[in-house]
Amino acid sequence: MLTSEAIMPDKPNDGKDPILNGSIGSITKTEHNDEYVILRGEHANLVFLFLNEHTLRMKLFFGEEPDLSATPAIVEQAAKNAALTVEEREGHIVISSSELHAVVDPLNFSLRIFNARGELLLEEKSIAWEDKNKVTFTASKSRDSYFYGLGEKTGFLDKNGERYEMWNSDVYEPHVQDTDALYQSIPFLIHYEYGKPAYGLLLDNPGRSIFDMRTREDRYSVSVTSGELDLYIWIGPSIKDAVSRMTEVTGRTYMPPKWSIGYQQSRYSYMNQEEVLDIARTFREKKIPCDVLYLDIHYMDEYRVFTWDSKRFPKPKEMMAELKELGFELVPIVDPGVKKDPKYPIYKEGVKNGYFCRKLEGDIFIGKVWPGLSAFPDFTDDAAAEWWGDHHRFYVKHGINGIWNDMNEPSVFNDSKTMDLDVVHGNNGNPKTHEEWHNLYGLLMSKATFEGMKRSMSGERPFVLTRAGYTGIQRFATVWTGDNRSFWEHMAMSIPMVLNLGMSGIAFAGPDVGGFSHHASGELVARWTQMGAFFPFFRNHSVIESRRQEPWMFGEQIEAICREYIGIRYRLMPYLYSLFYEAHTTGIPIVRSLIMEYPEDRNVSNVCDQFLLGPSLLVAPIYRPGVCSRAVYLPEGIWYDYWTGEKLEGGRPVLADAPLERMPLYVKAGSIIPEQELRQSMNESSEQPLRVRIRVGSGHDGIHRFSQYEDDGRTYAFEAGRFTLREWSVQQSPGGIRVACDYASDGWPCGEELILALSPVESKPTKISSSGNVETDAWIYDEAKQTLQVTIKVKHSFELQIR
Ligand code: GLC
């Protein structure tokens, strides 16, 4: 615990402010080939290349030749180079792709980056260093600058005025606004000013780095403390484009099995097989939908990974059989620490084959974690990663399809809280110190896990959950935001955290619902479950010895609220799954900040107590106790209150009623939301037809669209075209309502029967005509509710005209 002593007056300068003496100086020589341009300066050199026409890579180097290899953050296929040109224009060196121009003043190096329309994106202010491994890049910002992204950070949505460290850290202390680093490091930011094009900037350096948007009014800085200054810059022009283009290079969210989008229940720990089964049975008895239960560290034999504790879990196969019968998946925790025990086969194999991390002098790095003294696999080495991945067969053969990676910062119970910085990772013959590659440890562990599971799962999709990660983690794992607390403040903070993770490319993320440590109240669990139902990752988890927080632990009212909201999520699954597919193919996050969807709206730059699920649902959680109403800002357009159907004009705040059982929720006019019947798990099949809810009445003639995606939800058959993609559109005009559905792909057999549920439809239609392969057998109009329900049988693209 810190006391006031921490702020003693007249403390000697602790040397935190580096003296940046080094600079590039003048450019003395330009060299280029088809792939890159080298600018040789008096004191250092820069290499420029384009990965594609909208991605510039710029790297500082001191030696003769640049090292153009990239870290595992970058998708290999993306690391190709696009055509570039170099010209001299009015005393400047101009390096261009078809969409970007880097304009360098060679006299005393300076750099500006423009888009093809000649708009200034980024103005470099300095590249300077203390020593060659401690380089700081600064670029201009203004009072009107907003910063988004930066991964899993505390604080609000806009990061202007903040300063953060990128150093994956196990932080059990309460996460507060001045917590500089958490478990994930995503050194990617988006710079945005209203009326100007946004740009994205990634520092690809997995050592410790600092992003400072606080210290100077007119500039922000990005500093590396070890290794190289390797920057990637993407033109927007929109915030969405910046995210989408960044994820083209760092990869997109993996397509998870559908069950992992369902509700999940965890506890540190469900202590034995009977308790696990009891929880599963209770969910089914109480008819609270749930897909996944978790096994925390107590399932193992003295915390040895790839083992069962034979007393607590004497018959894992029988337990799994009953869980499967009840429609549950089970996800066990796997930490990287391997118990140092000469009789333990995993430890023996790792030592024998040289798979563990070592110091340069050859000693295996041994650190203390849950199992006591432990060794840590060196995931930078392909052979070690493969060995680790293959061991997951142990779980797969028990019918387990998902793995929870924890403590993979890596967390070590020592003074530095992690692995010694002088550990040398083999990296297939291109060694890196732990100091240089610390932030990659979690990503590489999850990659090895994901790939190993995939190899063993005969075409089924694995699910991997991780605490630590680095840019690119979205390709291999889902991110949960670590050890939060059952504090209302932490519930509120999880909104901007998940939104900024989404704007950093990590779409499949969420916090521990109800809060991990401390003790939840029923009200908190109800409110957090209401919100969590609309987050991509939805798991309730809590720490040992805290008050239990399964949905039924607080009496009937709370239980009913949890049941209802979890149920809403299951009904929305076709909408949600389509958004996962969108994230998988475009990088656009599943939950979105208002600024992403309404970038011109000056009221939403820092809105982070409400969010959008996809384009159509606006979620406004209650994140304080005892609150039964709140202000909700509705962006431009027409919105409908989800609960009452009330039509509301946007572009203004409204006051929403929010008794405990109600979280304010709004649906955008023009929205097309496919829904399914309630089920208890994604494994439960249903004969019920899909219901496509269409909200009309926007008064605009514009066409509203939604891409609805379906596949088998479990395998990789979709990669070979076994999926159906329906492009829905709806248009309202004085002549009536036109609903069209185009099959962009029809590789997965979906039910032929569909229900179109339109509302509000002000008067009874006189005629419903159709074209295409569709039968409209029946329609029902409810005048009081102003709803129209059309049941159709459809085989292919069709169009309906409602007059
Ligand atoms: C860490 C994890 C937490 C887990 C606990 C025990 O604190 O963040 O989720 O329950 O370890 O494994």
Side-chain angles (χ1 to χ4, degrees):
M1 193 183 76
L2 291 176
T3 64
S4 307
E5 196 186 357
I7 46 168
M8 277 252 278
D10 311 324
K11 253 202 319 194
N13 184 338
D14 57 7
K16 263 193 186 152
D17 293 332
I19 299 158
L20 303 174
N21 284 327
S23 69
I24 294 174
S26 299
I27 300 300
T28 52
K29 199 169 168 204
T30 306
E31 296 164 15
H32 72 96
N33 59 28
D34 290 348
E35 298 201 341
Y36 55 83
V37 179
I38 292 177
L39 302 185
R40 298 216 180 259
E42 287 174 280
H43 314 296
N45 313 312
L46 278 168
V47 58
F48 291 78
L49 55 93
F50 294 96
L51 274 69
N52 52 41
E53 60 282 4
H54 42 251
T55 312
L56 169 68
R57 180 178 179 194
M58 181 181 90
K59 191 169 176 182
L60 184 77
F61 66 102
F62 293 93
E64 269 308 297
E65 292 305 318
D67 172 7
L68 290 178
S69 61
T71 75
I74 307 297
V75 177
E76 239 168 81
Q77 308 88 285
K80 284 186 283 178
N81 302 343
L84 55 76
T85 58
V86 192
E87 307 166 69
E88 255 205 67
R89 238 188 264 160
E90 294 162 9
H92 287 78
I93 304 164
V94 182
I95 306 164
S96 306
S97 71
S98 59
E99 295 204 23
L100 272 168
H101 307 286
V103 178
V104 172
D105 181 347
L107 283 183
N108 190 6
F109 175 86
S110 75
L111 164 76
R112 284 169 305 151
I113 297 173
F114 296 86
N115 66 15
R117 290 161 57 179
E119 293 163 311
L120 179 64
L121 298 175
L122 182 153
E123 186 180 12
E124 172 262 354
K125 290 284 197 180
S126 74
I127 297 177
W129 51 88
E130 184 186 357
D131 68 48
K132 289 174 183 173
N133 288 317
K134 293 190 168 55
V135 180
T136 294
F137 167 86
T138 61
S140 63
K141 73 170 171 96
S142 75
R143 282 223 181 95
D144 299 328
S145 293
Y146 296 94
F147 291 92
Y148 305 111
L150 293 161
E152 181 190 66
K153 294 295 177 201
T154 58
F156 297 100
L157 189 73
D158 169 26
K159 301 302 187 193
N160 202 357
E162 301 290 355
R163 180 187 177 279
Y164 294 110
E165 242 175 70
M166 298 292 167
W167 184 253
N168 288 357
S169 308
D170 174 358
V171 183
Y172 193 68
E173 278 170 0
H175 305 163
V176 292
Q177 206 166 337
D178 61 5
T179 307
D180 282 343
L182 283 169
Y183 314 87
Q184 299 270 329
S185 294
I186 316 295
F188 169 75
L189 62 74
I190 297 171
H191 176 269
Y192 181 61
E193 277 182 61
Y194 283 100
K196 295 190 181 167
Y199 68 83
L201 177 121
L202 170 74
L203 166 71
D204 187 16
N205 179 313
R208 189 189 296 270
S209 64
I210 292 152
F211 281 68
D212 184 354
M213 288 75 56
R214 177 187 296 156
T215 305
R216 307 278 293 268
E217 272 293 302
D218 66 336
R219 63 193 68 187
Y220 69 95
S221 66
V222 176
S223 305
V224 302
T225 63
S226 61
E228 295 168 308
L229 183 79
D230 192 357
L231 297 171
Y232 291 73
I233 293 141
W234 289 271
I235 54 170
S238 70
I239 295 172
K240 267 191 181 174
D241 294 329
V243 178
S244 184
R245 290 178 162 172
M246 181 270 288
T247 53
E248 205 175 10
V249 171
T250 62
R252 294 191 165 133
T253 296
Y254 73 109
M255 198 61 199
K258 224 179 204 180
W259 57 262
S260 66
I261 305 173
Y263 176 71
Q264 321 199 4
Q265 184 65 51
S266 183
R267 173 83 179 168
Y268 169 29
S269 297
Y270 292 128
M271 288 304 219
N272 55 52
Q273 172 168 333
E274 247 335 284
E275 192 179 1
V276 172
L277 289 171
D278 192 49
I279 295 283
R281 289 176 204 132
T282 310
F283 271 103
R284 293 299 176 252
E285 272 156 30
K286 291 186 171 289
K287 296 221 169 312
I288 300 172
C290 183
D291 265 275
V292 190
L293 299 183
Y294 280 73
L295 292 183
D296 208 320
I297 50 176
H298 289 94
Y299 79 89
M300 294 178 269
D301 171 20
E302 293 183 325
Y303 315 119
R304 288 175 183 84
V305 286
F306 312 115
T307 65
W308 293 102
D309 178 313
S310 59
K311 289 207 187 69
R312 292 183 170 128
F313 291 85
K315 294 187 175 152
K317 286 212 164 119
E318 281 173 25
M319 171 185 72
M320 285 306 298
E322 183 170 348
L323 286 176
K324 292 272 160 176
E325 186 62 35
L326 290 167
F328 281 91
E329 299 281 342
L330 190 70
V331 175
I333 199 166
V334 177
D335 295 346
V338 172
K339 190 174 177 64
K340 181 175 186 295
D341 168 2
K343 294 200 205 97
Y344 170 33
I346 306 290
Y347 181 71
K348 282 198 289 184
E349 277 173 37
V351 173
K352 201 168 119 220
N353 297 305
Y355 292 151
F356 291 129
C357 295
R358 288 170 185 274
K359 302 275 210 155
L360 182 62
E361 296 75 15
D363 286 350
I364 293 178
F365 169 78
I366 299 288
K368 211 168 158 198
V369 265
W370 309 126
L373 295 178
S374 304
F376 296 79
D378 185 357
F379 298 109
T380 66
D381 233 55
D382 287 350
E386 208 176 310
W387 164 72
W388 186 261
D390 283 344
H391 268 296
H392 288 76
R393 253 187 233 126
F394 171 81
Y395 298 105
V396 175
K397 73 175 193 239
H398 282 90
I400 286 168
N401 298 316
I403 297 291
W404 169 20
N405 284 164
D406 186 26
M407 306 290 279
N408 51 348
E409 293 70 30
S411 173
V412 182
F413 305 151
N414 60 13
D415 288 347
S416 75
K417 312 286 179 222
T418 192
M419 192 174 278
D420 291 354
L421 302 186
D422 59 353
V423 160
V424 179
H425 296 291
N427 193 30
N428 304 313
N430 179 16
K432 301 281 176 191
T433 61
H434 191 69
E435 183 180 17
E436 291 168 302
W437 268 33
H438 170 79
N439 289 339
L440 273 169
Y441 195 83
L443 178 144
L444 292 173
M445 179 185 185
S446 290
K447 178 174 187 275
T449 305
F450 180 83
E451 290 172 351
M453 290 291 285
K454 196 170 164 185
R455 283 195 297 278
S456 301
M457 280 174 61
S458 324
E460 295 256 319
R461 292 177 222 167
F463 163 74
V464 177
L465 180 66
T466 185
R467 193 169 74 174
Y470 181 69
T471 305
I473 187 66
Q474 66 272 11
R475 311 198 305 265
F476 313 108
T478 304
V479 167
W480 105 97
T481 58
D483 295 345
N484 62 2
R485 304 208 165 198
S486 298
F487 294 170
W488 290 94
E489 291 81 354
H490 278 196
M491 177 188 168
M493 191 172 64
S494 70
I495 308 173
M497 209 180 260
V498 169
L499 294 178
N500 272 320
L501 276 163
M503 287 200 268
S504 310
I506 299 161
F508 194 5
D512 280 343
V513 166
F516 175 67
S517 53
H518 198 61
H519 307 278
S521 67
E523 185 185 1
L524 180 72
V525 168
R527 289 305 198 186
W528 209 327
T529 306
Q530 291 174 336
M531 174 175 90
F534 298 87
F535 272 163
F537 178 63
F538 185 24
R539 180 183 76 153
N540 172 319
H541 179 49
S542 56
V543 71
I544 198 163
E545 287 176 2
S546 64
R547 186 168 180 190
R548 295 291 291 240
Q549 62 187 42
E550 287 81 8
W552 53 83
M553 287 293 172
F554 306 92
E556 276 175 25
Q557 187 197 13
I558 303 300
E559 182 181 322
I561 293 171
C562 294
R563 180 185 298 107
E564 181 183 6
Y565 282 78
I566 296 171
I568 293 176
R569 181 184 183 89
Y570 277 76
R571 288 204 176 85
L572 282 173
M573 201 53 78
Y575 176 68
L576 199 54
Y577 195 55
S578 301
L579 296 175
F580 269 83
Y581 183 69
E582 186 183 0
H584 173 66
T585 49
T586 69
I588 303 298
I590 294 154
V591 289
R592 302 171 192 172
S593 54
L594 271 59
I595 189 73
M596 251 190 138
E597 288 286 335
Y598 299 93
E600 277 146 35
D601 189 334
R602 290 186 182 259
N603 296 311
V604 302
S605 57
N606 205 4
V607 169
C608 50
D609 63 351
Q610 47 183 87
F611 60 90
L612 291 152
L613 174 63
S616 305
L617 278 177
L618 189 145
V619 182
I622 301 297
Y623 51 91
R624 308 283 296 167
V627 168
C628 54
S629 66
R630 65 161 283 180
V632 179
Y633 181 76
L634 297 178
E636 58 164 23
I638 303 286
W639 295 85
Y640 293 99
D641 183 313
Y642 177 89
W643 306 103
T644 63
E646 188 189 354
K647 184 172 176 176
L648 296 155
E649 186 77 47
R652 67 189 174 113
V654 296
L655 187 65
D657 253 358
L660 187 56
E661 65 284 359
R662 182 172 298 182
M663 176 184 65
L665 197 55
Y666 299 86
V667 190
K668 178 110 207 226
S671 65
I672 301 159
I673 302 185
E675 287 183 8
Q676 68 182 21
E677 283 297 302
L678 179 64
R679 354 190 140 163
Q680 296 305 305
S681 82
M682 293 314 305
N683 290 322
E684 192 179 298
S685 58
S686 159
E687 296 303 306
Q688 296 298 323
L690 191 81
R691 177 180 286 266
V692 181
R693 285 192 189 276
I694 299 176
R695 290 283 181 165
V696 283
S698 66
H700 298 292
D701 279 346
I703 303 185
H704 302 275
R705 300 176 195 281
F706 187 72
S707 305
Q708 182 217 336
Y709 176 83
E710 279 184 59
D711 64 16
D712 65 19
R714 291 196 75 97
T715 77
Y716 285 97
F718 72 97
E719 288 182 343
R722 299 270 294 155
F723 66 89
T724 287
L725 190 64
R726 294 182 178 127
E727 304 286 1
W728 289 90
S729 65
V730 57
Q731 187 175 23
Q732 198 184 14
S733 65
I737 305 162
R738 179 180 154 275
V739 179
C741 173
D742 276 326
Y743 279 63
S745 163
D746 64 354
W748 174 246
C750 305
E752 286 183 7
E753 193 171 312
L754 278 179
I755 296 172
L756 300 184
L758 291 96
S759 68
V761 176
E762 275 152 23
S763 54
K764 186 172 177 179
T766 50
K767 190 172 171 204
I768 298 185
S769 53
S770 59
S771 65
N773 211 341
V774 62
E775 290 167 36
T776 43
D777 341 358
W779 55 274
I780 307 165
Y781 180 71
D782 183 327
E783 198 174 349
K785 291 194 188 140
Q786 299 204 328
T787 55
L788 171 69
Q789 186 169 304
V790 188
T791 307
I792 55 176
K793 284 228 172 62
V794 51
K795 292 215 174 73
H796 228 279
S797 305
F798 68 89
E799 205 179 297
L800 281 189
Q801 276 291 346
I802 302 163
R803 290 199 177 84

